[in-house]
């Protein structure tokens, strides 16, 4: 019974999607690699490779050709010797043959073709990986935007609690005649604004979660907790982007094409056997249906091609140079983007240090304002103004912290350190 319960739970989880109470950035990456529609191409490409290799391998097997023909000739061969009684051939002639050709030697062209097909398949698989990897920056943007809204919502909740607590004090001050009768209305208006901002944040979060869920192919409930990643960056000159592996495979593909071209001038040797039945047979003087056979070897060698092969090899060399140039441009663009991202990280770290100092100073101002409000020295509006400044400072602090983690995630993504 327990086993059935567990199986049922697993089945429901599979149907209705993501059921965990929290999710991490790495889990989003993994789900993207697994569930994004483009990922289905991996299996399709693997099946395609097996079919292509099988078709190439079939060239090493005997090739059978069936040929049949019936003809009528206006004239036939005759022997112009009156003393020899040789019957003339019929004007209508028939022939059916079955020929088997077996490749014996072709300089390794088939093996080279199989190697090329493997490289082509690997290149296509790597193109899928590149396209999937490039979506990770979109995942970063959505994930950290959700974290930013979570931080904003937490601050709104804290501010709401502070205002509710202060509202009790203000109402008590009004009853005791210390504060003006409308002092509580200012706080109540501020509480309504917080309610409005909280609803807007919830709606925005719902939209972002829907976009992230659609992107990674996982159903994420609104109550799911998004874990804050603690990211670090490794400053080195090595790039691990999948595009670099793709450039390498493209060069390998061209190299293998050159290998096949170099073998195209190698002689090709085949053995053949032909069995036939017809009238006439091999003996052209026998006017009757007979069976016959022929066995032999066939050598095919393109001795001179007017340097066409050499020119094709040169053209492929230029293709290699183009790919090398594309790789050079890619590395330059990525390194430039990494430098910009590094500067942004340094700027945000400096900004966060100042934010902490501002929060500390503004907190002292709010504490003083709270005491002054309690004693009727300042109005509720003045207190709310200082409290709003603290909220805005804390909100900027959280925003800068999230932007810092996003900058680190984007740096690692640009560098290729995220798998």
């Amino acid at each position: 019974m327990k086993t059935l319960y567990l199986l049922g739970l697993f089945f429901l989880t599979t149907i209705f999607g993501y059921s965990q109470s929290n999710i991490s950035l790495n889990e989003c990456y993994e789900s993207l690699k697994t569930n994004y529609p483009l990922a289905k191409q991996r299996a399709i490409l693997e099946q395609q490779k097996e079919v292509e290799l099988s078709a190439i391998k079939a060239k090493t097997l005997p090739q059978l050709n069936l040929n049949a023909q019936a003809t009528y000739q206006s004239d036939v061969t005759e022997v112009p010797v009156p003393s020899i009684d040789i019957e003339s051939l019929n004007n209508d002639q028939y022939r059916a043959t079955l020929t088997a050709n077996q490749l014996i030697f072709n300089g390794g062209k088939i093996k080279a073709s199989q190697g090329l097909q493997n490289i082509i398949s690997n290149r296509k698989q790597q193109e899928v990986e590149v396209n999937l990897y490039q979506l990770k920056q979109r995942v970063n943007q959505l994930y950290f935007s959700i974290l930013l809204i979570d931080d904003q919502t937490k601050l709104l909740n804290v501010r709401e609690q502070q205002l509710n607590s202060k509202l009790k004090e203000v109402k008590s001050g009004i009853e005791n005649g210390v504060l003006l009768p409308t002092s509580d209305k200012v706080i109540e208006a501020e509480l309504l604004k917080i309610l409005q901002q909280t609803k807007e944040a919830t709606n925005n979060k719902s939209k972002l979660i829907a976009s992230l869920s659609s992107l990674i192919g996982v159903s994420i409930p609104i109550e799911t907790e998004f874990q804050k990643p603690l990211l670090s960056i490794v400053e080195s000159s090595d790039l691990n982007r999948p595009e670099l592996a793709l450039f390498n495979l493209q060069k390998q593909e061209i190299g293998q094409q050159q290998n096949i071209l170099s073998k195209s001038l190698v002689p090709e040797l085949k053995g053949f056997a032909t069995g036939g039945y017809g009238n006439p047979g091999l003996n052209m003087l026998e006017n009757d249906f007979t069976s016959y056979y022929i066995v032999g070897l066939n050598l095919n060698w393109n001795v001179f091609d007017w340097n066409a092969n050499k020119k094709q090899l040169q053209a492929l060399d230029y293709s290699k140079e183009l790919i090398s140039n594309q790789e050079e441009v890619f590395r330059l663009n990525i390194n430039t983007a990494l430098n910009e991202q590094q500067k942004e990280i340094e700027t945000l770290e400096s900004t966060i240090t100042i934010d902490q100092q501002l929060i500390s100073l503004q907190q002292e101002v709010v504490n003083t304002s709270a005491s002054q409000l309690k004693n009727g020295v300042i109005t509720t509006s003045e207190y709310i103004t200082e409290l709003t400044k603290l909220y805005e400072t804390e909100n900027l602090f959280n925003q800068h912290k999230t932007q810092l983690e996003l900058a680190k995630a984007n740096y690692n993504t640009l560098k290729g350190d995220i798998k």
Side-chain angles (χ1 to χ4, degrees):
M1 180 64 70
K2 184 177 180 180
T3 302
L4 289 174
Y5 172 77
L6 292 174
L7 287 173
L9 182 62
F10 174 78
F11 179 71
L12 289 173
T13 301
T14 304
I15 291 178
F16 295 106
Y18 195 87
S19 62
Q20 290 179 241
S21 58
N22 56 67
I23 190 171
S24 69
L25 182 59
N26 284 333
E27 287 172 342
C28 290
Y29 291 151
E30 291 301 318
S31 296
L32 175 72
K33 289 172 62 178
T34 305
N35 301 325
Y36 194 73
L38 191 63
K40 296 177 182 178
Q41 291 188 12
R42 294 193 189 103
I44 297 173
L45 288 171
E46 190 62 30
Q47 293 171 351
Q48 183 186 42
K49 182 184 80 169
E50 294 302 321
V51 173
E52 294 284 356
L53 288 175
S54 178
I56 294 172
K57 187 178 180 181
K59 295 179 181 179
T60 63
L61 302 176
Q63 306 296 310
L64 298 177
N65 296 305
L66 178 64
N67 182 41
Q69 69 176 26
T71 62
Y72 182 88
Q73 301 178 193
S74 61
D75 200 3
V76 293
T77 302
E78 295 181 352
V79 179
V81 181
S83 61
I84 300 177
D85 185 17
I86 298 177
E87 183 181 356
S88 298
L89 295 177
N90 295 332
N91 291 78
D92 55 322
Q93 298 183 4
Y94 307 91
R95 175 176 297 180
T97 59
L98 178 64
T99 301
N101 291 285
Q102 175 61 57
L103 179 65
I104 298 174
F105 175 80
N106 70 345
K109 294 178 189 175
I110 289 181
K111 186 176 180 180
S113 297
Q114 289 174 326
L116 176 61
Q117 189 57 50
N118 280 318
I119 294 173
I120 290 174
S121 179
N122 292 338
R123 187 254 301 163
K124 290 181 178 179
Q125 291 280 11
Q126 192 63 25
E127 286 174 351
V128 173
E129 295 303 320
V130 167
N131 291 330
L132 286 173
Y133 191 87
Q134 290 173 349
L135 291 170
K136 287 185 177 180
Q137 284 197 327
R138 175 62 177 159
V139 172
N140 290 345
Q141 195 65 47
L142 290 170
Y143 191 92
F144 285 98
S145 295
I146 293 169
L147 287 180
L148 190 61
I149 290 178
D150 283 343
D151 288 336
Q152 182 185 359
T153 303
K154 289 175 183 177
L155 276 178
L156 287 170
N157 291 336
V158 170
R159 192 178 179 205
E160 183 182 16
Q161 293 173 5
Q162 291 174 331
L163 287 175
N164 279 323
S165 175
K166 191 57 62 179
L167 182 61
K168 293 179 182 179
E169 293 181 10
V170 169
K171 286 184 176 180
S172 175
I174 293 172
E175 291 174 0
N176 294 326
V178 179
L179 299 176
L180 295 174
T182 58
S183 297
D184 58 338
K185 302 303 179 185
V186 176
I187 297 179
E188 289 175 353
E190 198 65 25
L191 285 170
L192 282 175
K193 290 180 183 178
I194 291 175
L195 178 61
Q196 185 182 47
Q197 291 172 352
T198 302
K199 287 184 176 180
E200 288 177 357
T202 301
N203 289 336
N204 290 335
K205 181 180 178 180
S206 179
K207 293 176 185 177
L208 289 169
I209 288 179
S211 297
L212 180 61
S213 178
S214 176
L215 185 62
I216 67 175
V218 172
S219 177
I220 307 175
I222 188 67
E223 62 273 9
T224 300
E225 179 183 352
F226 287 76
Q227 298 176 6
K228 289 188 175 181
L230 297 175
L231 300 173
S232 59
I233 61 174
V234 179
E235 297 182 25
S236 66
S237 58
D238 295 331
L239 294 178
N240 299 312
R241 289 290 294 260
E243 289 88 345
L244 299 179
L246 177 59
F247 289 134
N248 186 44
L249 285 169
Q250 289 172 338
K251 291 177 186 177
Q252 288 182 32
E253 183 177 346
I254 293 174
Q256 191 66 9
Q257 288 173 345
Q258 290 178 317
N259 183 30
I260 292 175
L261 272 176
S262 66
K263 296 179 183 298
S264 64
L265 298 179
V266 175
E268 185 175 87
L269 180 65
K270 292 182 179 180
F272 68 91
T274 300
Y277 183 76
N279 181 8
L282 295 181
N283 184 356
M284 296 299 295
L285 299 179
E286 184 179 359
N287 190 16
D288 198 4
F289 281 93
T290 59
S291 59
Y292 57 90
Y293 71 89
I294 302 172
V295 295
L297 296 174
N298 182 17
L299 179 67
N300 183 23
W301 189 3
N302 185 6
V303 180
F304 185 69
D305 68 345
W306 302 96
N307 287 328
N309 188 277
K310 183 179 179 180
K311 292 174 183 177
Q312 287 177 307
L313 290 172
Q314 289 176 341
L316 289 173
D317 280 331
Y318 288 126
S319 296
K320 269 187 180 179
E321 288 184 25
L322 287 173
I323 293 173
S324 295
N325 179 258
Q326 291 171 5
E327 181 179 353
E328 183 181 355
V329 171
F330 175 79
R331 286 181 179 274
L332 176 62
N333 291 338
I334 292 297
N335 285 324
T336 301
L338 284 173
N339 289 333
E340 293 174 354
Q341 205 69 38
Q342 179 65 42
K343 294 297 182 183
E344 183 177 354
I345 290 172
E346 293 171 358
T347 301
L348 286 168
E349 287 175 340
S350 176
T351 302
I352 287 171
T353 301
I354 297 174
D355 285 340
Q356 291 173 322
Q357 296 173 356
L358 288 172
I359 288 173
S360 179
L361 291 172
Q362 189 61 38
Q363 185 63 60
E364 292 181 13
V365 173
V366 169
N367 292 339
T368 301
S369 298
S371 177
Q372 291 174 335
L373 176 63
K374 187 174 182 181
N375 295 319
V377 177
I378 62 173
T379 64
T380 310
S381 296
E382 291 173 316
Y383 169 75
I384 293 298
T385 299
E386 298 302 330
L387 187 62
T388 300
K389 289 180 181 178
L390 175 61
Y391 164 76
E392 290 173 349
T393 305
E394 290 177 334
N395 198 35
L396 278 174
F397 173 63
N398 286 333
Q399 182 177 335
H400 292 151
K401 285 198 302 181
T402 303
Q403 287 175 343
L404 175 61
E405 295 304 313
L406 173 59
K408 289 179 180 179
N410 285 338
Y411 183 93
N412 290 336
T413 303
L414 280 169
K415 199 164 180 297
D417 289 339
I418 294 177
K419 302 302 179 183

